[in-house]
Amino acid sequence: MDWQTLEQWDKEYFWHPFTQMKVYREEENLIFERGEGVYLYDVKGRKFIDAISSLWCNVHGHNHPRLNQALIDQLKKVAHTTTLGSSNVPAILLAKRLVEISPICLTKVFYSEDGAEAVEIAIKLAYQYWRNKGEKRKTFITFSGAYHGDTLGAVSLGGIELFHGTYKDILFETLKLPSPYIFCKQNYGSLSEECKDALLEMLEEILKDRADEVVAVSLEAGIQAAAGMLPFPKGFLKGVRELTEKYGVLMIVDEVATGFGRTGTMFYCEQEQVCPDFMCLGKGLTGGYLPLAVTLTTEEVFNAFLGEFGEMKHFYHGHTYTGNNLACAVALANLEIFEEEKTLEKLGPKIDYLSERLKEFWELDFVGDVRQLGFMAGIELVKDKEKGIPFPYGERTGFKVAYKCRERGVFLRPLGDVMVLMMPLVVEKEHIDQVVDALKWAIGSLKV
């Protein structure tokens, strides 16, 4: 099939996510055909570093022989069997392995297909937990700037007006605290200990008065990624956990973006010694190969759903492909590669090197902020650096920079005017250099 025909059919038939199709159909767009390691190749034979890990999910590179073989081996056995009232070998083995590597209080695994579903399941489990215990709580506490996915429950917990505002009339209401990063920057100038304490005081004031109606506090792990890579003050996650335990409410931690090494440890919760009631995982779970997500929870939550059949306490939720055999087999191999290739041990120096290179962006005229947590980074573009004036949204400045980077063999997808760097964990220093150099050059080419 020639690339011209593919391009025509792409624009004619394929409605892309988070994409203004009028603009998409007017521009040249990448159509990827294959991948190898940290590189993607399009139908025209061009080669690009995958600097966003194919939307933050690729971990060990594309076309990894171990992951390929795991998929082939399972495919020779069976591709899918239902887990509604039956089980399969890879799903059992993966559930056990996930419990072994997760915070110690998390002992049960519920499967789904993507991060939004994992959050949706946590919402429903948390709500039904209280009902099964005879309490009719219905309030969730979350944060402005939050993003937990695009299903309606996950959107209800979200706090990005651009993404979520359209649907406000069909969402359930939540109590929202300010985005920690934005609140700290505006009121304290930094992610200080003083700001962390102020945020926790705000949360405690709510819990003092309304804890008996609160189902759970929900938040991302250490950083609001989709809001533009907005990190929390250190210790904030731990402080939230201490308050939820003090006032007897549940805690949902969304590690969909941060899990599987993105912040330098397998899960960010480890860095603050937090064990939540629910931990949601997705994206990197299969190394970027297949849709799979999980919601981990505690023995306490699980036991609240046990009873005689007629009591109807069980969790009436599940999908056709829940615990899919192929996806679970690949996820197991993904976790084995972490150990065999010592992925996390090798990651520390790369994080340090990226940190040093990120400092160079502060010198550029149109960079207003540089943010990082582990191997996750965001460079915010602004029209006027001194006054902090952003580029008009309709100018699509972030996209212009991303398209310019393609000329230097780097594939990026911005969040508005925040240039996101979320490279596969296996990149080497020369790859980091190519990405950083290309992005600096592209930003330097901007004209006002």
Side-chain angles (χ1 to χ4, degrees):
M1 181 65 65
D2 62 271
W3 66 263
Q4 292 95 338
T5 302
L6 284 169
E7 190 173 75
Q8 177 189 341
W9 290 353
D10 180 35
K11 296 177 187 296
E12 182 67 26
Y13 302 117
F14 189 176
W15 190 345
H16 291 259
F18 281 92
T19 300
Q20 175 44 258
M21 292 305 296
K22 179 182 183 298
V23 175
Y24 184 88
R25 294 167 72 175
E26 294 169 350
E27 297 179 339
E28 178 192 8
N29 298 287
L30 295 175
I31 302 174
F32 293 120
E33 186 173 39
R34 63 186 182 90
E36 191 70 40
V38 301
Y39 295 103
L40 291 168
Y41 298 80
D42 75 354
V43 291
K44 297 179 183 179
R46 296 177 296 184
K47 174 181 173 182
F48 304 88
I49 290 180
D50 186 359
I52 55 163
S53 299
S54 292
L55 203 57
W56 315 352
C57 66
N58 188 276
V59 176
H60 306 295
H62 298 279
N63 209 7
H64 194 290
R66 286 279 284 106
L67 298 178
N68 291 356
Q69 194 60 51
L71 182 57
I72 292 167
D73 290 345
Q74 182 58 42
L75 193 57
K76 290 178 179 177
K77 297 174 183 177
V78 63
H80 177 68
T81 58
T82 183
T83 55
L84 277 68
S86 60
S87 198
N88 69 67
V89 175
I92 295 168
L93 297 177
L94 179 60
K96 179 178 183 294
R97 187 70 187 116
L98 286 171
V99 168
E100 290 171 347
I101 66 173
S102 297
I104 194 167
C105 73
L106 300 171
T107 61
K108 304 298 178 187
V109 175
F110 199 101
Y111 288 109
S112 56
E113 287 77 62
D114 59 47
E117 293 173 24
V119 172
E120 200 83 14
I121 287 163
I123 292 169
K124 291 176 71 175
L125 283 172
Y127 177 78
Q128 189 176 339
Y129 166 82
W130 292 112
R131 287 186 67 88
N132 285 359
K133 289 173 68 69
E135 297 188 40
K136 293 186 178 181
R137 304 188 184 196
K138 65 176 184 179
T139 301
F140 288 80
I141 298 175
T142 186
F143 294 82
S144 296
Y147 178 83
H148 298 286
D150 302 317
T151 55
L152 283 179
V155 170
S156 295
L157 297 187
I160 301 177
E161 180 66 21
L162 179 65
F163 297 161
H164 305 143
T166 300
Y167 311 104
K168 60 184 178 182
D169 291 339
I170 56 173
L171 306 177
F172 62 78
E173 292 185 4
T174 64
L175 297 175
K176 279 191 170 53
L177 291 168
S179 166
Y181 185 86
I182 294 173
F183 176 81
C184 288
K185 282 291 187 176
Q186 290 178 345
N187 295 280
Y188 294 86
S190 68
L191 299 178
S192 64
E193 184 81 7
E194 185 182 10
C195 181
K196 181 201 75 174
D197 292 341
L199 283 163
L200 292 173
E201 285 175 15
M202 293 168 67
L203 174 59
E204 185 161 23
E205 285 303 310
I206 295 173
L207 292 174
K208 278 180 182 177
D209 295 334
R210 306 181 65 171
D212 60 351
E213 66 183 79
V214 173
V215 174
V217 178
S218 172
L219 71 169
E220 290 149 278
I223 186 170
Q224 292 183 320
M229 298 295 164
L230 305 179
F232 297 163
K234 291 295 182 184
F236 180 66
L237 194 73
K238 185 176 182 65
V240 172
R241 184 51 176 156
E242 290 170 351
L243 289 175
T244 58
E245 290 180 327
K246 177 179 178 180
Y247 289 95
V249 303
L250 299 172
M251 182 184 189
I252 300 170
V253 173
D254 181 347
E255 288 250 21
V256 172
T258 54
F260 303 102
R262 295 293 175 190
T263 66
T265 51
M266 186 62 81
F267 308 115
Y268 180 78
C269 281
E270 299 172 35
Q271 298 184 29
E272 298 194 14
Q273 295 82 51
V274 167
C275 197
D277 299 288
F278 301 93
M279 185 169 76
C280 304
L281 304 175
K283 288 194 182 293
L285 177 53
T286 65
Y289 264 55
L290 290 167
L292 184 68
V294 296
T295 307
L296 289 105
T297 191
T298 65
E299 207 73 18
E300 163 71 18
V301 171
F302 179 78
N303 287 341
F305 288 76
L306 300 181
E308 298 301 324
F309 192 88
E311 294 180 81
M312 295 184 289
K313 285 186 173 183
H314 44 298
F315 189 42
Y316 289 97
H317 184 104
H319 304 149
T320 301
Y321 288 96
T322 295
N324 172 256
N325 312 54
L326 293 174
C328 290
V330 174
L332 273 168
N334 174 45
L335 296 179
E336 290 168 0
I337 293 169
F338 268 98
E339 294 184 6
E340 294 167 5
E341 299 186 358
K342 301 187 184 306
T343 305
L344 295 178
E345 291 89 329
K346 295 176 182 177
L347 189 56
K350 298 177 189 179
I351 292 173
D352 294 340
Y353 187 68
L354 177 62
S355 296
E356 287 302 311
R357 296 259 18 217
L358 287 173
K359 293 176 183 177
E360 300 170 23
F361 285 97
W362 288 108
E363 304 166 2
L364 303 182
D365 290 339
F366 301 113
V367 171
D369 201 3
V370 181
R371 304 183 282 266
Q372 181 187 13
L373 178 64
F375 218 40
M376 306 168 68
I379 298 96
E380 185 169 358
L381 307 178
V382 292
K383 187 172 184 177
D384 188 314
K385 186 171 185 170
E386 297 301 320
K387 298 179 180 178
I389 299 173
F391 287 99
Y393 179 74
E395 291 185 4
R396 302 175 70 240
T397 303
F399 282 97
K400 291 175 183 176
V401 170
Y403 294 162
K404 192 72 175 174
C405 285
R406 295 177 186 178
E407 297 178 27
R408 297 286 179 95
V410 172
F411 173 57
L412 291 171
R413 167 82 181 185
L415 287 165
D417 287 339
V418 177
M419 307 309 299
V420 172
L421 298 182
M422 187 94 87
M423 293 170 275
L425 304 189
V426 293
V427 294
E428 301 295 344
K429 286 185 178 179
E430 58 264 31
H431 302 126
I432 296 173
D433 285 336
Q434 183 178 343
V435 170
V436 171
D437 290 343
L439 183 53
K440 286 179 61 184
W441 170 77
I443 295 171
S445 72
L446 287 174
K447 301 284 193 299
V448 177

